Amino acid sequence: MAEYKLLTKDIGVEGLQTLPVYERRGGYQALRTALRDRTPDEIIEQVKISGLRGRGGAGFPTGTKWSFLPRDVFPRYLCINADESEPGCFKDRYLIDENPHQLIEGIVIAAYALQVQHAFLYIRGEYHDQRLLLERCVEEARAAGYIGERILGSDFGCDVIVHGGAGAYICGEETALIDSLEGFRGQPRLKPPFPAVKGLYGKPTVVNNVETLSNLPHIVSRGGEWFKAIGTERSTGTRVWCCSGHIERPGCYEMELGRPIRELFEEHCGGMWKGRSLKAFQPGGGSMQVLLPEHLDLPLDMDAVMKAGSSLGAGAMMFMDETTCLVNVSMRLVDFYHHESCGKCAPCREGTYFESQLMHRLEAGVATLDELDTLKDICANMDGKCFCPLGDTATWFVMSAYRHFRAEFEAHCGAGACPVTGAHRPLLAGTA
Amino acid sequence: MLAAQTRAEIEHARGRYPHPRSAILPSLWAVQHELGWLPPEAMAEVAELLGLAPSEVQAVATFYSMYFKRPPGRHHILVCVNAACALRGADETAAHIEQRLGCPSGTTTADGMFTWESTIECLGGCGGAPMMQVDHHFEEHLTPQRIDTILARVAAQPAAHRDGPPSRVPNPPAANTPPPPTAEGPPSAGAAG
């Protein structure tokens, strides 16, 4: 089965990042259609019918999110979440690098549907070259009349402002993104009120992911019913999967939702490298629980993967071969959350610190069996008790790895080194 | 202490947002692009330009990992050692760079040429792992030979923060930009034509 190419169908066409080439491929026709033939409410209705769910990780239905905006409250804002920082995730960078105008067209369509005059595209600081590319494309679009006042001769006008972050994973959480955009330290806000009611500058705000918005030109061009026919009943459309780890062909592959994970793994990723066997994989990015080879036959369907105890999250698939130490991988992911904890709430700020200390002792082979109970206790005191999902998800991978590979965790205790790789890892200061 | 161009960039950024405070991050980027880091006096100048207290700007600057609080070398290298890169040899990549540069992660070479650090923050280059960023640019599918070639090439280039990309010059506010938002009524919602 070939890839189902929707968002990626034109990728590879020379010069696609320039406006003339994008227009020759039919670019900005959907925006033209939207402004000429559709009311904002009609577009929202089509997005609802399409069943499009957010591609940033949580999978919330986009049309429903849009309909939470209170009527007749202005100004209102659209924030584009290009703060892609989930470990293993690089699809948004791919979509920006390869087809930036598709995103910009989606942004202006969304702005029209939501009657937003200012859209802020928040892109992570590390995507510096991508920010420059987007700035150039926004100016191209502005010069052509796709952004600005009276777009394409209509009564609708909107501006798109590209805003660079500066290195903070938490700014991918929608309320932290808003805080950061307002010029504060990016820390999450208490919900409710949700951004749709009180967001940027206290005004109604929608935050949508890059891939989510890149779908809009296609939904407007061909209709919600057409889109809904792709994928499964509750996971419609395609997704761009970022595949990494011990596979022959790491990279981004777009596939219809509902296809078996095995198809993605074997046909597109080329299976395991070096003729090795699969030990485990993570289906949704660094936050998500680990799965086993028997889960390869699960469909790429959000609900089915949730039932199996994990999530498709941000669409990042990381595959690990039989030589992988799950304690080592867990340690790195825990280190990441410790590094990225914003410090606002104690369970996450302190919990990730202790988690990290303990994982380093475990990987160095100096932890005791009792400390595994301590690890479970720490995680139990974090999951569901943190201010935002960062602290909760800092426990998910490590606890799922512990469940599936308990013997491996126990074998580390008192071993003096990593029993899987034989590596002697120096202890962090303060963990001896 | 800031160059006229940097001050102009900050003023331009300030005008793009409904609230000047939103211009802190782009302003700090402009400063770092000029000076290579964020000296306290420069942050105070940003605060003055944006009508904020210096402590407000410092509080923001210290939250984000990409702003340098002390001068880095002429070039900056970030090596990802998160899980996906580690599976494909990121630790060996970091060890090779450490050996080549002769200084540990988080430090600068004796000649001031490179500051390098291994980072647990995933840089979004997992498909090209192991990878690093050199002066913000992605370098992927690293091997010891490729790393050596990149280091030699970059060492011959001007310092990152003095000769940035030409597109650094801010675009003048376009004539076709809608006015800043107000709390008054909705824009017209009718489909044109």
Side-chain angles (χ1 to χ4, degrees):
Chain A
M1 170 91 188
E3 282 185 80
Y4 189 114
K5 295 203 169 197
L6 178 64
L7 307 185
T8 60
K9 69 179 167 55
D10 291 330
I11 285 177
V13 171
E14 193 173 340
L16 186 63
Q17 297 84 348
T18 64
L19 185 61
V21 175
Y22 182 68
E23 285 174 323
R24 278 203 295 279
R25 308 290 299 182
Y28 289 104
Q29 286 306 318
L31 176 62
R32 213 173 282 278
T33 301
L35 291 170
R36 190 186 56 217
D37 303 331
R38 312 263 194 280
T39 64
D41 283 347
E42 283 170 346
I43 294 172
I44 294 173
E45 189 55 29
Q46 287 302 309
V47 171
K48 278 187 182 169
I49 290 168
S50 76
L52 176 67
R53 291 168 71 172
R55 304 303 198 225
F60 195 80
T62 306
T64 306
K65 189 188 246 191
W66 287 7
S67 63
F68 289 156
L69 282 182
R71 293 191 85 81
D72 305 322
V73 180
F74 297 92
R76 42 178 56 178
Y77 298 106
L78 171 65
C79 295
I80 299 89
N81 190 342
D83 195 68
E84 173 178 71
S85 318
E86 182 75 14
C89 198
F90 49 100
K91 66 184 173 66
D92 293 343
R93 177 185 153 215
Y94 177 65
L95 290 170
I96 292 166
D97 268 336
E98 301 292 345
N99 201 347
H101 277 290
Q102 177 176 250
L103 168 62
I104 292 168
E105 184 174 12
I107 290 169
V108 183
I109 290 169
Y112 171 66
L114 299 166
Q115 288 296 287
V116 158
Q117 286 188 294
H118 283 74
F120 294 95
L121 202 168
Y122 188 110
I123 183 165
R124 73 181 292 197
E126 291 85 352
Y127 288 0
H128 172 267
D129 290 353
Q130 290 70 25
R131 176 172 61 80
L132 296 179
L133 173 66
L134 284 166
E135 284 176 351
R136 180 181 65 70
C137 290
V138 163
E139 291 316 311
E140 266 188 313
R142 188 192 308 281
Y146 298 126
I147 290 173
E149 288 183 324
R150 301 189 58 80
I151 295 171
L152 297 175
S154 73
D155 291 335
F156 176 71
C158 95
D159 195 14
V160 178
I161 293 131
V162 181
H163 182 95
Y169 166 73
I170 188 59
C171 291
E173 195 279 337
E174 62 178 4
T175 61
L177 183 150
I178 289 168
D179 244 32
S180 179
L181 196 46
E182 287 186 5
F184 294 95
R185 296 162 74 91
Q187 294 187 313
R189 298 173 178 178
L190 195 62
K191 294 189 275 192
F194 288 92
V197 175
K198 192 179 177 190
L200 186 64
Y201 310 125
K203 298 295 179 185
T205 303
V206 166
V207 184
N208 280 146
N209 159 270
V210 166
E211 187 185 358
T212 310
L213 292 170
S214 295
N215 276 286
L216 292 184
H218 307 283
I219 292 172
V220 167
S221 293
R222 304 170 80 169
E225 289 289 353
W226 167 84
F227 188 90
K228 189 181 164 184
I230 308 165
T232 67
E233 189 187 352
R234 285 181 32 84
S235 292
T236 59
T238 66
R239 282 195 73 172
V240 179
W241 305 100
C242 333
C243 301
S244 64
H246 294 148
I247 45 177
E248 279 289 336
R249 293 189 293 273
C252 285
Y253 303 99
E254 185 175 14
M255 279 182 73
E256 183 176 9
L257 281 154
R259 305 298 308 171
I261 295 173
R262 184 180 298 281
E263 190 179 301
L264 173 66
F265 168 65
E266 289 179 355
E267 294 183 29
H268 301 306
C269 301
M272 296 310 282
W273 70 347
K274 303 180 182 179
R276 292 183 185 162
S277 58
L278 176 69
K279 180 174 181 176
F281 71 99
Q282 192 181 31
S287 301
M288 300 308 162
Q289 295 88 342
V290 70
L291 293 176
L292 304 172
E294 60 258 34
H295 294 115
L296 280 179
D297 292 314
L298 283 171
L300 289 162
D301 174 274
M302 299 179 206
D303 302 324
V305 174
M306 265 188 184
K307 276 201 192 101
S310 188
S311 167
L312 292 177
M317 294 255 174
M318 193 169 71
F319 296 93
M320 296 163 252
D321 72 18
E322 80 258 23
T323 67
T324 309
C325 169
L326 268 295
V327 170
N328 186 293
V329 175
S330 302
M331 177 191 74
R332 286 176 200 267
L333 291 172
V334 164
D335 277 352
F336 168 77
Y337 290 106
H338 172 225
H339 184 265
E340 295 301 326
S341 177
C342 78
K344 180 163 181 158
C345 76
C348 175
R349 184 183 62 242
E350 308 302 320
T352 53
Y353 167 79
F354 287 116
E355 248 194 310
S356 170
Q357 298 281 299
L358 213 149
M359 289 308 299
H360 276 265
R361 285 178 51 77
L362 193 59
E363 176 61 356
V366 300
T368 64
L369 280 170
D370 285 349
E371 285 179 87
L372 289 178
D373 290 332
T374 307
L375 178 67
K376 280 196 298 183
D377 279 351
I378 292 168
C379 290
N381 280 300
M382 291 169 65
D383 191 8
K385 299 176 178 68
C386 293
F387 191 85
C388 86
L390 188 150
D392 302 339
T393 57
T395 69
W396 290 2
F397 184 90
V398 61
M399 280 295 99
S400 64
Y402 180 59
R403 259 196 318 277
H404 290 306
F405 299 95
R406 186 169 179 152
E408 193 168 302
F409 276 63
E410 289 175 349
H412 278 72
C413 296
C418 172
V420 180
T421 63
H424 288 267
R425 191 172 188 86
L427 273 174
L428 282 180
T431 57
Chain B
M1 72 179 294
L2 295 175
Q5 186 188 344
T6 305
R7 291 176 68 92
E9 283 181 45
I10 293 168
E11 289 292 349
H12 173 66
R14 180 182 172 145
R16 296 169 76 205
Y17 301 92
H19 295 272
R21 193 187 178 100
S22 286
I24 291 183
L25 262 63
S27 300
L28 293 176
W29 276 121
V31 171
Q32 185 155 300
H33 205 106
E34 181 198 339
L35 304 174
W37 66 296
L38 303 180
E41 315 81 73
M43 286 194 266
E45 202 167 333
V46 168
E48 183 195 337
L49 287 165
L50 299 181
L52 301 165
S55 59
E56 291 179 285
V57 174
Q58 289 233 7
V60 170
T62 52
F63 182 81
Y64 298 93
S65 64
M66 293 181 76
Y67 293 132
F68 300 134
K69 309 341 178 263
R70 57 179 194 272
R74 284 162 58 86
H75 301 285
H76 186 258
I77 299 173
L78 267 179
V79 182
C80 174
V81 293
N82 202 310
C85 277
L87 291 175
R88 295 183 78 97
D91 286 355
E92 290 79 359
T93 299
H96 182 80
I97 289 172
E98 179 164 0
Q99 184 261 324
R100 275 286 181 271
L101 298 183
C103 61
S105 168
T107 63
T108 303
T109 53
D111 61 0
M113 180 63 76
F114 292 104
T115 297
W116 86 278
E117 51 188 309
S118 66
T119 179
I120 196 66
E121 190 168 358
C122 173
L123 297 175
C126 328
M131 59 76 64
M132 62 183 177
Q133 280 194 319
V134 182
D135 298 337
H136 297 303
H137 303 303
F138 283 84
E139 300 286 358
E140 301 180 318
H141 304 290
L142 296 176
T143 61
Q145 297 74 21
R146 263 183 61 73
I147 293 167
D148 293 348
T149 305
I150 292 162
L151 292 179
R153 186 189 74 222
V154 173
Q157 292 171 352
H161 53 272
R162 294 213 178 77
D163 294 88
S167 49
R168 178 197 166 206
V169 181
N171 297 298
N176 191 25
T177 301
T182 64
E184 291 156 23
S188 170

PDB file of all heavy atoms in Angstrom, chain A residues 261-286:
ATOM      1  N   ILE A 261      -0.046  -0.311  11.970  1.00  0.00           N
ATOM      2  CA  ILE A 261       1.278   0.246  12.268  1.00  0.00           C
ATOM      3  C   ILE A 261       2.346  -0.571  11.543  1.00  0.00           C
ATOM      4  O   ILE A 261       3.342  -0.037  11.058  1.00  0.00           O
ATOM      5  CB  ILE A 261       1.530   0.255  13.801  1.00  0.00           C
ATOM      6  CG1 ILE A 261       0.538   1.199  14.492  1.00  0.00           C
ATOM      7  CG2 ILE A 261       2.963   0.659  14.108  1.00  0.00           C
ATOM      8  CD1 ILE A 261       0.583   1.174  16.011  1.00  0.00           C
ATOM      9  N   ARG A 262       2.103  -1.878  11.435  1.00  0.00           N
ATOM     10  CA  ARG A 262       3.077  -2.760  10.765  1.00  0.00           C
ATOM     11  C   ARG A 262       3.389  -2.288   9.340  1.00  0.00           C
ATOM     12  O   ARG A 262       4.526  -2.396   8.873  1.00  0.00           O
ATOM     13  CB  ARG A 262       2.532  -4.195  10.740  1.00  0.00           C
ATOM     14  CG  ARG A 262       3.498  -5.213  10.146  1.00  0.00           C
ATOM     15  CD  ARG A 262       2.908  -6.620  10.145  1.00  0.00           C
ATOM     16  NE  ARG A 262       2.621  -7.108  11.492  1.00  0.00           N
ATOM     17  CZ  ARG A 262       3.553  -7.593  12.331  1.00  0.00           C
ATOM     18  NH1 ARG A 262       4.818  -7.621  11.964  1.00  0.00           N
ATOM     19  NH2 ARG A 262       3.211  -8.024  13.527  1.00  0.00           N
ATOM     20  N   GLU A 263       2.362  -1.791   8.648  1.00  0.00           N
ATOM     21  CA  GLU A 263       2.566  -1.324   7.272  1.00  0.00           C
ATOM     22  C   GLU A 263       3.536  -0.132   7.244  1.00  0.00           C
ATOM     23  O   GLU A 263       4.443  -0.079   6.400  1.00  0.00           O
ATOM     24  CB  GLU A 263       1.215  -0.906   6.690  1.00  0.00           C
ATOM     25  CG  GLU A 263       1.235  -0.629   5.203  1.00  0.00           C
ATOM     26  CD  GLU A 263      -0.154  -0.237   4.721  1.00  0.00           C
ATOM     27  OE1 GLU A 263      -1.109  -1.029   4.885  1.00  0.00           O
ATOM     28  OE2 GLU A 263      -0.286   0.887   4.213  1.00  0.00           O
ATOM     29  N   LEU A 264       3.337   0.772   8.172  1.00  0.00           N
ATOM     30  CA  LEU A 264       4.245   1.919   8.274  1.00  0.00           C
ATOM     31  C   LEU A 264       5.659   1.426   8.578  1.00  0.00           C
ATOM     32  O   LEU A 264       6.633   1.841   7.940  1.00  0.00           O
ATOM     33  CB  LEU A 264       3.752   2.866   9.383  1.00  0.00           C
ATOM     34  CG  LEU A 264       4.658   4.037   9.757  1.00  0.00           C
ATOM     35  CD1 LEU A 264       4.777   5.028   8.601  1.00  0.00           C
ATOM     36  CD2 LEU A 264       4.121   4.763  10.999  1.00  0.00           C
ATOM     37  N   PHE A 265       5.741   0.520   9.525  1.00  0.00           N
ATOM     38  CA  PHE A 265       7.035   0.031  10.005  1.00  0.00           C
ATOM     39  C   PHE A 265       7.778  -0.764   8.926  1.00  0.00           C
ATOM     40  O   PHE A 265       8.960  -0.539   8.671  1.00  0.00           O
ATOM     41  CB  PHE A 265       6.785  -0.820  11.256  1.00  0.00           C
ATOM     42  CG  PHE A 265       7.964  -1.626  11.713  1.00  0.00           C
ATOM     43  CD1 PHE A 265       9.127  -1.002  12.173  1.00  0.00           C
ATOM     44  CD2 PHE A 265       7.922  -3.017  11.701  1.00  0.00           C
ATOM     45  CE1 PHE A 265      10.208  -1.755  12.607  1.00  0.00           C
ATOM     46  CE2 PHE A 265       9.000  -3.768  12.140  1.00  0.00           C
ATOM     47  CZ  PHE A 265      10.144  -3.134  12.591  1.00  0.00           C
ATOM     48  N   GLU A 266       7.067  -1.679   8.261  1.00  0.00           N
ATOM     49  CA  GLU A 266       7.756  -2.570   7.322  1.00  0.00           C
ATOM     50  C   GLU A 266       7.915  -1.945   5.938  1.00  0.00           C
ATOM     51  O   GLU A 266       8.987  -2.005   5.344  1.00  0.00           O
ATOM     52  CB  GLU A 266       7.009  -3.910   7.230  1.00  0.00           C
ATOM     53  CG  GLU A 266       7.163  -4.726   8.519  1.00  0.00           C
ATOM     54  CD  GLU A 266       6.406  -6.050   8.482  1.00  0.00           C
ATOM     55  OE1 GLU A 266       5.672  -6.302   7.500  1.00  0.00           O
ATOM     56  OE2 GLU A 266       6.542  -6.822   9.460  1.00  0.00           O
ATOM     57  N   GLU A 267       6.827  -1.365   5.425  1.00  0.00           N
ATOM     58  CA  GLU A 267       6.877  -0.911   4.032  1.00  0.00           C
ATOM     59  C   GLU A 267       7.545   0.449   3.863  1.00  0.00           C
ATOM     60  O   GLU A 267       8.244   0.686   2.885  1.00  0.00           O
ATOM     61  CB  GLU A 267       5.462  -0.871   3.436  1.00  0.00           C
ATOM     62  CG  GLU A 267       4.846  -2.258   3.332  1.00  0.00           C
ATOM     63  CD  GLU A 267       3.481  -2.234   2.675  1.00  0.00           C
ATOM     64  OE1 GLU A 267       3.225  -1.342   1.848  1.00  0.00           O
ATOM     65  OE2 GLU A 267       2.661  -3.108   3.020  1.00  0.00           O
ATOM     66  N   HIS A 268       7.316   1.335   4.812  1.00  0.00           N
ATOM     67  CA  HIS A 268       7.870   2.676   4.639  1.00  0.00           C
ATOM     68  C   HIS A 268       9.193   2.849   5.376  1.00  0.00           C
ATOM     69  O   HIS A 268      10.142   3.401   4.823  1.00  0.00           O
ATOM     70  CB  HIS A 268       6.850   3.724   5.091  1.00  0.00           C
ATOM     71  CG  HIS A 268       5.569   3.623   4.321  1.00  0.00           C
ATOM     72  ND1 HIS A 268       5.545   3.645   2.949  1.00  0.00           N
ATOM     73  CD2 HIS A 268       4.291   3.461   4.717  1.00  0.00           C
ATOM     74  CE1 HIS A 268       4.295   3.508   2.531  1.00  0.00           C
ATOM     75  NE2 HIS A 268       3.516   3.392   3.592  1.00  0.00           N
ATOM     76  N   CYS A 269       9.229   2.344   6.602  1.00  0.00           N
ATOM     77  CA  CYS A 269      10.474   2.481   7.374  1.00  0.00           C
ATOM     78  C   CYS A 269      11.492   1.403   7.008  1.00  0.00           C
ATOM     79  O   CYS A 269      12.644   1.477   7.431  1.00  0.00           O
ATOM     80  CB  CYS A 269      10.185   2.403   8.868  1.00  0.00           C
ATOM     81  SG  CYS A 269       9.048   3.667   9.440  1.00  0.00           S
ATOM     82  N   GLY A 270      11.064   0.372   6.280  1.00  0.00           N
ATOM     83  CA  GLY A 270      11.996  -0.675   5.870  1.00  0.00           C
ATOM     84  C   GLY A 270      12.330  -1.669   6.966  1.00  0.00           C
ATOM     85  O   GLY A 270      13.300  -2.421   6.863  1.00  0.00           O
ATOM     86  N   GLY A 271      11.546  -1.658   8.042  1.00  0.00           N
ATOM     87  CA  GLY A 271      11.806  -2.608   9.135  1.00  0.00           C
ATOM     88  C   GLY A 271      13.053  -2.233   9.925  1.00  0.00           C
ATOM     89  O   GLY A 271      13.590  -1.132   9.785  1.00  0.00           O
ATOM     90  N   MET A 272      13.491  -3.174  10.771  1.00  0.00           N
ATOM     91  CA  MET A 272      14.635  -2.884  11.637  1.00  0.00           C
ATOM     92  C   MET A 272      15.934  -2.856  10.851  1.00  0.00           C
ATOM     93  O   MET A 272      16.083  -3.554   9.850  1.00  0.00           O
ATOM     94  CB  MET A 272      14.745  -3.952  12.745  1.00  0.00           C
ATOM     95  CG  MET A 272      13.570  -3.978  13.704  1.00  0.00           C
ATOM     96  SD  MET A 272      13.139  -2.367  14.374  1.00  0.00           S
ATOM     97  CE  MET A 272      14.387  -2.156  15.620  1.00  0.00           C
ATOM     98  N   TRP A 273      16.858  -2.071  11.342  1.00  0.00           N
ATOM     99  CA  TRP A 273      18.176  -2.000  10.694  1.00  0.00           C
ATOM    100  C   TRP A 273      19.019  -3.205  11.095  1.00  0.00           C
ATOM    101  O   TRP A 273      18.716  -3.909  12.067  1.00  0.00           O
ATOM    102  CB  TRP A 273      18.868  -0.682  11.024  1.00  0.00           C
ATOM    103  CG  TRP A 273      19.348  -0.511  12.466  1.00  0.00           C
ATOM    104  CD1 TRP A 273      19.030  -1.278  13.554  1.00  0.00           C
ATOM    105  CD2 TRP A 273      20.244   0.495  12.929  1.00  0.00           C
ATOM    106  NE1 TRP A 273      19.645  -0.803  14.673  1.00  0.00           N
ATOM    107  CE2 TRP A 273      20.410   0.281  14.324  1.00  0.00           C
ATOM    108  CE3 TRP A 273      20.922   1.548  12.332  1.00  0.00           C
ATOM    109  CZ2 TRP A 273      21.225   1.102  15.109  1.00  0.00           C
ATOM    110  CZ3 TRP A 273      21.729   2.358  13.115  1.00  0.00           C
ATOM    111  CH2 TRP A 273      21.870   2.136  14.491  1.00  0.00           C
ATOM    112  N   LYS A 274      20.059  -3.450  10.325  1.00  0.00           N
ATOM    113  CA  LYS A 274      21.088  -4.452  10.633  1.00  0.00           C
ATOM    114  C   LYS A 274      20.516  -5.839  10.851  1.00  0.00           C
ATOM    115  O   LYS A 274      21.117  -6.667  11.546  1.00  0.00           O
ATOM    116  CB  LYS A 274      21.903  -4.024  11.870  1.00  0.00           C
ATOM    117  CG  LYS A 274      22.563  -2.659  11.714  1.00  0.00           C
ATOM    118  CD  LYS A 274      23.368  -2.275  12.957  1.00  0.00           C
ATOM    119  CE  LYS A 274      23.972  -0.885  12.796  1.00  0.00           C
ATOM    120  NZ  LYS A 274      24.725  -0.447  13.968  1.00  0.00           N
ATOM    121  N   GLY A 275      19.325  -6.091  10.285  1.00  0.00           N
ATOM    122  CA  GLY A 275      18.722  -7.421  10.417  1.00  0.00           C
ATOM    123  C   GLY A 275      18.318  -7.779  11.837  1.00  0.00           C
ATOM    124  O   GLY A 275      18.102  -8.940  12.165  1.00  0.00           O
ATOM    125  N   ARG A 276      18.209  -6.794  12.690  1.00  0.00           N
ATOM    126  CA  ARG A 276      17.871  -7.062  14.099  1.00  0.00           C
ATOM    127  C   ARG A 276      16.361  -7.164  14.284  1.00  0.00           C
ATOM    128  O   ARG A 276      15.592  -6.914  13.362  1.00  0.00           O
ATOM    129  CB  ARG A 276      18.441  -5.960  14.988  1.00  0.00           C
ATOM    130  CG  ARG A 276      19.962  -5.992  15.035  1.00  0.00           C
ATOM    131  CD  ARG A 276      20.494  -4.933  15.971  1.00  0.00           C
ATOM    132  NE  ARG A 276      21.946  -4.883  15.934  1.00  0.00           N
ATOM    133  CZ  ARG A 276      22.656  -3.850  16.362  1.00  0.00           C
ATOM    134  NH1 ARG A 276      22.042  -2.791  16.863  1.00  0.00           N
ATOM    135  NH2 ARG A 276      23.967  -3.863  16.320  1.00  0.00           N
ATOM    136  N   SER A 277      15.973  -7.494  15.515  1.00  0.00           N
ATOM    137  CA  SER A 277      14.537  -7.633  15.770  1.00  0.00           C
ATOM    138  C   SER A 277      14.042  -6.471  16.628  1.00  0.00           C
ATOM    139  O   SER A 277      14.821  -5.821  17.341  1.00  0.00           O
ATOM    140  CB  SER A 277      14.258  -8.972  16.473  1.00  0.00           C
ATOM    141  OG  SER A 277      14.986  -9.024  17.683  1.00  0.00           O
ATOM    142  N   LEU A 278      12.743  -6.245  16.536  1.00  0.00           N
ATOM    143  CA  LEU A 278      12.123  -5.143  17.276  1.00  0.00           C
ATOM    144  C   LEU A 278      11.921  -5.553  18.736  1.00  0.00           C
ATOM    145  O   LEU A 278      11.385  -6.625  19.013  1.00  0.00           O
ATOM    146  CB  LEU A 278      10.771  -4.792  16.633  1.00  0.00           C
ATOM    147  CG  LEU A 278       9.941  -3.719  17.322  1.00  0.00           C
ATOM    148  CD1 LEU A 278      10.591  -2.341  17.192  1.00  0.00           C
ATOM    149  CD2 LEU A 278       8.527  -3.657  16.727  1.00  0.00           C
ATOM    150  N   LYS A 279      12.342  -4.690  19.638  1.00  0.00           N
ATOM    151  CA  LYS A 279      12.139  -4.964  21.061  1.00  0.00           C
ATOM    152  C   LYS A 279      10.945  -4.165  21.597  1.00  0.00           C
ATOM    153  O   LYS A 279      10.145  -4.687  22.371  1.00  0.00           O
ATOM    154  CB  LYS A 279      13.404  -4.589  21.843  1.00  0.00           C
ATOM    155  CG  LYS A 279      13.320  -4.817  23.345  1.00  0.00           C
ATOM    156  CD  LYS A 279      14.671  -4.565  24.000  1.00  0.00           C
ATOM    157  CE  LYS A 279      14.630  -4.797  25.506  1.00  0.00           C
ATOM    158  NZ  LYS A 279      15.963  -4.637  26.122  1.00  0.00           N
ATOM    159  N   ALA A 280      10.858  -2.927  21.193  1.00  0.00           N
ATOM    160  CA  ALA A 280       9.783  -2.058  21.687  1.00  0.00           C
ATOM    161  C   ALA A 280       9.680  -0.844  20.773  1.00  0.00           C
ATOM    162  O   ALA A 280      10.599  -0.555  20.015  1.00  0.00           O
ATOM    163  CB  ALA A 280      10.102  -1.598  23.113  1.00  0.00           C
ATOM    164  N   PHE A 281       8.548  -0.162  20.852  1.00  0.00           N
ATOM    165  CA  PHE A 281       8.427   1.101  20.123  1.00  0.00           C
ATOM    166  C   PHE A 281       7.507   2.047  20.873  1.00  0.00           C
ATOM    167  O   PHE A 281       6.702   1.637  21.706  1.00  0.00           O
ATOM    168  CB  PHE A 281       7.949   0.887  18.674  1.00  0.00           C
ATOM    169  CG  PHE A 281       6.506   0.465  18.533  1.00  0.00           C
ATOM    170  CD1 PHE A 281       5.517   1.397  18.217  1.00  0.00           C
ATOM    171  CD2 PHE A 281       6.140  -0.866  18.679  1.00  0.00           C
ATOM    172  CE1 PHE A 281       4.187   1.009  18.064  1.00  0.00           C
ATOM    173  CE2 PHE A 281       4.805  -1.263  18.533  1.00  0.00           C
ATOM    174  CZ  PHE A 281       3.830  -0.329  18.219  1.00  0.00           C
ATOM    175  N   GLN A 282       7.695   3.302  20.565  1.00  0.00           N
ATOM    176  CA  GLN A 282       6.892   4.338  21.204  1.00  0.00           C
ATOM    177  C   GLN A 282       6.081   5.004  20.089  1.00  0.00           C
ATOM    178  O   GLN A 282       6.660   5.507  19.138  1.00  0.00           O
ATOM    179  CB  GLN A 282       7.831   5.349  21.859  1.00  0.00           C
ATOM    180  CG  GLN A 282       7.158   6.302  22.787  1.00  0.00           C
ATOM    181  CD  GLN A 282       8.165   7.294  23.368  1.00  0.00           C
ATOM    182  OE1 GLN A 282       9.129   7.642  22.718  1.00  0.00           O
ATOM    183  NE2 GLN A 282       7.921   7.760  24.570  1.00  0.00           N
ATOM    184  N   PRO A 283       4.741   4.980  20.186  1.00  0.00           N
ATOM    185  CA  PRO A 283       3.950   5.371  19.018  1.00  0.00           C
ATOM    186  C   PRO A 283       3.644   6.865  18.876  1.00  0.00           C
ATOM    187  O   PRO A 283       3.174   7.280  17.825  1.00  0.00           O
ATOM    188  CB  PRO A 283       2.651   4.588  19.214  1.00  0.00           C
ATOM    189  CG  PRO A 283       2.509   4.505  20.697  1.00  0.00           C
ATOM    190  CD  PRO A 283       3.903   4.453  21.268  1.00  0.00           C
ATOM    191  N   GLY A 284       3.877   7.669  19.920  1.00  0.00           N
ATOM    192  CA  GLY A 284       3.341   9.028  19.833  1.00  0.00           C
ATOM    193  C   GLY A 284       4.253  10.141  20.275  1.00  0.00           C
ATOM    194  O   GLY A 284       3.820  11.262  20.475  1.00  0.00           O
ATOM    195  N   GLY A 285       5.539   9.859  20.454  1.00  0.00           N
ATOM    196  CA  GLY A 285       6.438  10.890  20.956  1.00  0.00           C
ATOM    197  C   GLY A 285       6.881  10.580  22.373  1.00  0.00           C
ATOM    198  O   GLY A 285       6.343   9.679  23.027  1.00  0.00           O
ATOM    199  N   GLY A 286       7.871  11.342  22.841  1.00  0.00           N
ATOM    200  CA  GLY A 286       8.522  11.062  24.122  1.00  0.00           C
ATOM    201  C   GLY A 286       7.596  10.936  25.307  1.00  0.00           C
ATOM    202  O   GLY A 286       7.931  10.287  26.297  1.00  0.00           O
TER     203      GLY A 286
END
